[in-house]
Amino acid sequence: MSGAPLVDDSERVGLLAGVAGIAALGGMAAVGAARNIARKSVVGRADPHAEVDLTALYGERAASVTADDGLELAVRIVDLGTVSQETAPELTVVFVHGFSLRLSSWHFQREQLAAEWHDRNYRLVFFDHRGHGESDPAPTETCTIAQLADDAAAVIRATVPTGPVVLVGHSMGGMTLMGLARRHPALFSSHGPVAGMGLVATASRGLTDAGLGEGLRNPVVDAFRMSVRRAPRLVQAGRGLTRSALEPVLVAASFGPTFYSPALGAAVDKMIQSTPIETIVNFLHALEIHDESTALPVIAQVPTTVVCGDRDRLTPLRNSVRMYSQLGPDSRLVVAKGAGHMVQMEEPRLVSDAIVELVDRARVALPAPRRRWWKRGRG
């Protein structure tokens, strides 16, 4: 007999149940997936993004940021105007990508904002989450929104030498920034650097309450996550089955029903396929229990912009409306008609313009009003 560890029947049952649960998730997306396939076969219709190279962003200046636990995060930096490694930017914009994606999902914003701000001394920073893209693999116990928030704090410390910073997060990236506000509120104070936040296709809580996210609230998916931890050899053996069931959920939710671009559909599919299945499954739990509602008052101290497609089935529009209603008078809501979850790729100009407008409003938190001496000490 080989020296490989034995796996008991309960673990095998857990794996099979988990795969079945994820297959059920795939069934929820069947109509959307079929629609995506149909759009790939339109005869005589030109793909407007056929020549787009989403890997180009990895050709920018590379850096590596060490997270607090020693893991290395892949970073790309774009300096505009006269900014260089030796000169500090007047303002930095940090982009945080979504679940199972990578920094190249911000390709269009990099191109459009660099053109818009070519004469501004700004810095654009993009990075891959742990377990995604070119960053180090993520140990199971670190696949949490809290850990991603601490990673974002490390990236800010390493890439923002001085001046204000505007943060923009998509999907799980937006959740990461809410976690950042909760865990590092000083960054959002009148003495901190954060001067604005963009929340794109994300939610402060309730991801399992509606849309495709309802499938996350499923005990068999929990069983699969347990299998990832306890029977990694079996999970490796079932990678193909797991992917074939899970990926249609993510791909089908990416774009609105009338959007046409086989090239971008293939690019998103490739991002998901290149993300380790263990990373995807482990972060599913982080999405399921996500609730950063208490971070919204902290974020509301700075200008904000909330963007969402009205056909987003993963983080439905009502989640964005709810966040917007809690972010105070210096918040803006931008709705992309007909767009799905990958709104920054489906309606890139709309999202880029929203970021420009946010940066124009950027300011650090206002100092707390001073209390009159005769009111001090009163409740």
Side-chain angles (χ1 to χ4, degrees):
M1 295 180 65
S2 69
L6 295 176
V7 179
D8 64 31
D9 289 340
S10 64
E11 289 177 333
R12 295 178 186 275
V13 170
L15 173 64
L16 295 175
V19 170
I22 291 177
L25 285 178
M28 295 175 64
V31 174
R35 195 158 46 222
N36 283 346
I37 294 171
R39 288 202 296 271
K40 291 180 180 179
S41 61
V42 175
V43 176
R45 184 173 180 181
D47 184 344
H49 303 294
E51 304 302 320
V52 171
D53 178 12
L54 264 66
T55 67
L57 194 43
Y58 282 98
E60 303 292 351
R61 177 159 67 90
S64 181
V65 170
T66 304
D68 295 342
D69 61 355
L71 185 145
E72 296 296 319
L73 303 172
V75 179
R76 295 297 184 272
I77 298 174
V78 178
D79 286 330
L80 306 176
T82 61
V83 180
S84 67
Q85 289 181 263
E86 292 73 34
T87 59
E90 295 175 6
L91 179 141
T92 302
V93 185
V94 177
F95 295 83
V96 190
H97 72 76
F99 172 63
S100 74
L101 302 173
R102 51 173 51 199
L103 63 84
S104 55
S105 61
W106 295 109
H107 169 85
F108 292 105
Q109 284 64 51
R110 180 261 177 267
E111 295 293 320
Q112 293 171 350
L113 295 176
E116 177 78 21
W117 293 330
H118 67 92
D119 57 348
R120 304 277 187 95
N121 294 326
Y122 290 172
R123 169 171 290 172
L124 310 181
V125 175
F126 309 84
F127 71 97
D128 285 329
H129 287 302
R130 60 179 54 219
H132 295 71
E134 295 185 354
S135 290
D136 283 350
T140 297
E141 66 277 6
T142 72
C143 293
T144 65
I145 298 298
Q147 181 62 65
L148 296 184
D150 290 348
D151 290 350
V155 170
I156 292 170
R157 290 195 301 269
T159 62
V160 185
T162 186
V165 58
V166 171
L167 307 171
V168 182
H170 169 249
S171 187
M172 190 172 74
M175 301 172 193
T176 297
L177 296 180
M178 293 179 228
L180 178 73
R182 178 177 59 82
R183 294 174 63 81
H184 303 273
L187 293 173
F188 295 77
S189 71
S190 59
H191 302 291
V194 176
M197 182 181 289
L199 298 169
V200 180
T202 189
S204 60
R205 63 180 176 85
L207 189 62
T208 57
D209 293 343
L212 297 180
E214 289 179 339
L216 298 178
R217 183 175 291 170
N218 189 325
V220 292
V221 177
D222 288 333
F224 187 82
R225 281 193 290 264
M226 184 176 295
S227 298
V228 170
R229 294 176 174 85
R230 298 178 60 188
R233 290 176 181 270
L234 283 177
V235 173
Q236 283 294 119
R239 286 171 68 93
L241 175 60
T242 306
R243 283 198 177 280
S244 66
L246 181 58
E247 285 171 8
V249 179
L250 304 176
V251 175
S254 295
F255 300 105
T258 63
F259 180 72
Y260 178 78
S261 176
L264 292 191
V268 171
D269 187 46
K270 186 175 181 180
M271 290 183 204
I272 297 169
Q273 288 182 9
S274 64
T275 303
I277 190 64
E278 296 82 359
T279 295
I280 292 176
V281 173
N282 284 330
F283 272 113
L284 281 176
H285 183 60
L287 299 180
E288 180 183 2
I289 65 173
H290 166 67
D291 187 343
E292 294 291 352
S293 303
T294 59
L296 296 181
V298 178
I299 298 169
Q301 297 177 100
V302 302
T304 57
T305 294
V306 178
V307 182
C308 189
D310 66 0
R311 300 302 295 270
D312 188 335
R313 296 185 295 137
L314 191 57
T315 53
L317 177 60
R318 63 176 170 272
N319 289 321
S320 290
V321 173
R322 182 167 57 194
M323 285 191 302
Y324 166 68
S325 70
Q326 298 177 63
L327 287 172
D330 208 352
S331 184
R332 304 287 186 273
L333 175 65
V334 177
V335 179
K337 293 184 178 180
H341 192 61
M342 294 299 296
V343 61
Q344 79 275 33
M345 296 175 68
E346 191 169 353
E347 293 289 348
R349 186 75 262 174
L350 182 76
V351 174
S352 295
D353 287 347
I355 295 171
V356 169
E357 192 274 338
L358 173 63
V359 168
D360 288 343
R361 290 189 288 121
R363 58 157 178 78
V364 297
L366 300 175
R370 298 183 62 182
R371 299 184 67 184
R372 301 292 185 182
W373 64 268
W374 60 83
K375 293 185 179 180
R376 293 175 187 167
R378 297 184 180 181

